[in-house]
Amino acid sequence: MTTSPDLMEQAETTADHSPGAELLPVATARRTRAAAWELLRPDRGLALRSTVVLVAATAVGLLTQPLLGRIVDLVAEGARGAGSVSTGVLTLPVVLLVVVALVQGASTALGLGMVARLGESVLARLRERFVERALALPADRIERAGSGDLTARVTGDVARVSEAVRSALPELARATLTILLTLIALAVLDWRFLVAALLAVPVQAWTARWYVRKAVPLYAKQRIATGAQQQQLLETIGGAATVRGHLLEDDHTARVERRSNAAVELSKRGVRLVLGFYGRLHIGEYIGLVGVLLAGLILVREDAVSIGTATAAALYFHNLFGPINAALVLLDDAQSATAGLARLVGVTDLPDEPEPPASARSKDAFVHVRGITHAYAGGSPVLHEVDLDLHEGEHVALVGTSGAGKSTLARILAGVQRPTNGEVTMPATANGRPGAVLVSQELHVFAGTLAEDLRLAKPEATDEELRSALATVDALTWAEALPDGLDTVVGEGAHSLDAAKAQQLALARLVLADPLIAVLDEATAEAGSAGARVLELSARAALQGRTALIVAHRLTQAATADRVVVLAHGRVVESGPHERLKDAGGPYAALWAAWSGTREPGTV
């Protein structure tokens, strides 16, 4: 992608975020406008039609004031003549007022409905792009920014843009049309009414410019402060056990309070800004109204216009109060949404990480790991110059004590985590097959039917393919026994699956995805002793015929692997078949002796 020069990194870092945090980028104003047009372009025909309908609805509505002015003229003529007005004379303008109201209401509803469809389409397109790019971000990039930064964009920024697209922007467009057409109508009545009305414009323009100049950076800072607050809450709540264990409750409470106070202070600044905005705005309104009334008085005295025309002009300008206020109030929402959109576009415009050149791919091994060193943000290295080869069809078990770096190496091999240094090369994928798929102990059943959950791995899979994948991992029997079979709704708030069934579901997705390399990170750890044997058999069946790296939670998995690799303190200390390492008297032999000596199989 070539849009990265249009991105600007946030200036605020250490004051509101964790030390060393590298926030995700925010798009420039120019790039945000360009992205908005890109999102709108596929529906530009609908945008044009909805604009035409709203213009027509607004124009019809502007007939109200001249009709009221005509009624005033008829009453005035009657007063000067016979002293009374026949109801028959007033019938036509009154009927026309009713017709205008009906036509305006129907056309406005139609136009706003078209705008709503347009907005939802654009919003869906934005969400798809954002989610697609966010899911593709390397884990270390998210860690450098802090998960709170991405969380704030997924929640707060998406919500603000959604609210603006659904309500604020349609109303802003309608208010703007009303203002423009009303000014034209004033000129049609008499150009001097327009000149009088424009006396308010300098004050209003200066007010809007003053507000925008202050609002844009303020709202951007609010988004940053909210992200920092969420990041701190995530760290404090997520690490509550560690916080309590090290007696850091007061320290973390102070951090939460400090970042919350920063967010509150920015919100208060926003309120003060809006109050000042309204105060200045009212001054402009009253200047314009006085100008139009004086112009009407002078023109009526000179017989340049009738009393009804002057009345229509005054009503026109008075009716501008609502649209102008709405436009400038909604400008607040628009600025907030623009700031949020810039943060979303900043993520969607992130350039793709370069793939290793073809010449660097291994020719002697199916998977080639060289010089892998990795340290998490702000921490010491957990892997040190790790070299590892996996041959095609080989099952390699990765074992070691807790903290040895097993999961980190598995995540790097699966492409979920990018290493600090070193490279992983593997054959190029073909026919839509993924290069690697990671199945971990972090189970998740997505909301929806069981079939939909399975098709996340292969959207075009047939029902027969779904059943075959379930049968492979010995899950078809219980799946078909569900209330609605594969159409049973599972996940949060629906039919719940225990840990073993959820893991079999994940293994079935692995079979459907059919990756070149399968990575299992303690994939049977959550099943407990009762389900461990069943899951081990399911995992073995899912891995049949494919290259695999298995982070072994139980050493029975290592015993059945083609090769065992032992990690200690982030380094490979042993590698070889199970039997040879078991008899070698080294680190693996010690692990095996400790494991086999327990009454119940435990973790390593």
Side-chain angles (χ1 to χ4, degrees), residues 305-320:
V305 298
S306 68
I307 296 176
T309 301
T311 301
L315 289 174
Y316 270 139
F317 190 82
H318 185 270
N319 286 345
L320 277 177

Side-chain angles (χ1 to χ4, degrees), residues 264-519:
V264 170
E265 179 57 34
L266 287 170
S267 296
K268 290 164 63 178
R269 285 174 56 187
V271 171
R272 290 194 294 268
L273 179 64
V274 171
L275 292 176
F277 171 69
Y278 279 122
R280 291 165 171 80
L281 180 61
H282 291 328
I283 294 174
E285 290 175 347
Y286 293 128
I287 289 175
L289 182 58
V290 169
V292 171
L293 291 174
L294 287 176
L297 177 63
I298 294 171
L299 292 173
V300 169
R301 283 186 174 181
E302 294 176 353
D303 289 329
V305 298
S306 68
I307 296 176
T309 301
T311 301
L315 289 174
Y316 270 139
F317 190 82
H318 185 270
N319 286 345
L320 277 177
F321 283 19
I324 289 175
N325 285 340
L328 294 176
V329 167
L330 293 171
L331 187 62
D332 180 75
D333 294 334
Q335 292 300 327
S336 179
T338 300
L341 179 61
R343 285 162 56 82
L344 297 178
V345 173
V347 173
T348 62
D349 278 359
L350 277 171
D352 294 326
E353 297 286 343
E355 291 290 332
S359 59
R361 298 191 184 279
S362 172
K363 294 183 176 62
D364 57 341
F366 198 64
V367 179
H368 198 62
V369 176
R370 282 295 176 268
I372 294 296
T373 297
H374 187 71
Y376 291 99
S380 301
V382 294
L383 293 175
H384 304 269
E385 297 292 329
V386 173
D387 293 337
L388 178 65
D389 287 338
L390 275 71
H391 297 281
E392 187 170 6
E394 183 182 27
H395 291 180
V396 174
L398 196 61
V399 303
T401 57
S402 179
K406 305 185 298 296
S407 292
T408 299
L409 182 57
R411 286 160 57 85
I412 289 173
L413 185 64
V416 175
Q417 184 82 46
R418 292 188 180 273
T420 305
N421 291 299
E423 65 176 9
V424 177
T425 58
M426 59 183 67
T429 60
N431 300 323
R433 293 182 67 188
V437 167
L438 173 69
V439 180
S440 71
Q441 61 179 319
E442 298 174 358
L443 308 175
H444 185 76
V445 178
F446 294 90
T449 67
L450 185 68
E452 290 171 342
D453 201 303
L454 287 167
R455 285 194 174 97
L456 290 171
K458 188 179 180 181
E460 72 280 8
T462 64
D463 289 347
E464 188 58 37
E465 287 177 309
L466 300 186
R467 289 186 172 85
S468 176
L470 290 168
T472 299
V473 299
D474 197 25
L476 183 59
T477 301
W478 65 255
E480 291 186 329
L482 293 173
D484 296 312
L486 271 63
D487 292 326
T488 301
V489 178
V490 296
E492 187 175 353
H495 189 94
S496 62
L497 301 179
D498 61 33
K501 288 184 174 63
Q503 194 64 70
Q504 284 182 312
L505 184 60
L507 291 170
R509 285 199 295 258
L510 171 68
V511 173
L512 286 167
D514 190 26
L516 295 176
I517 299 98
V519 181

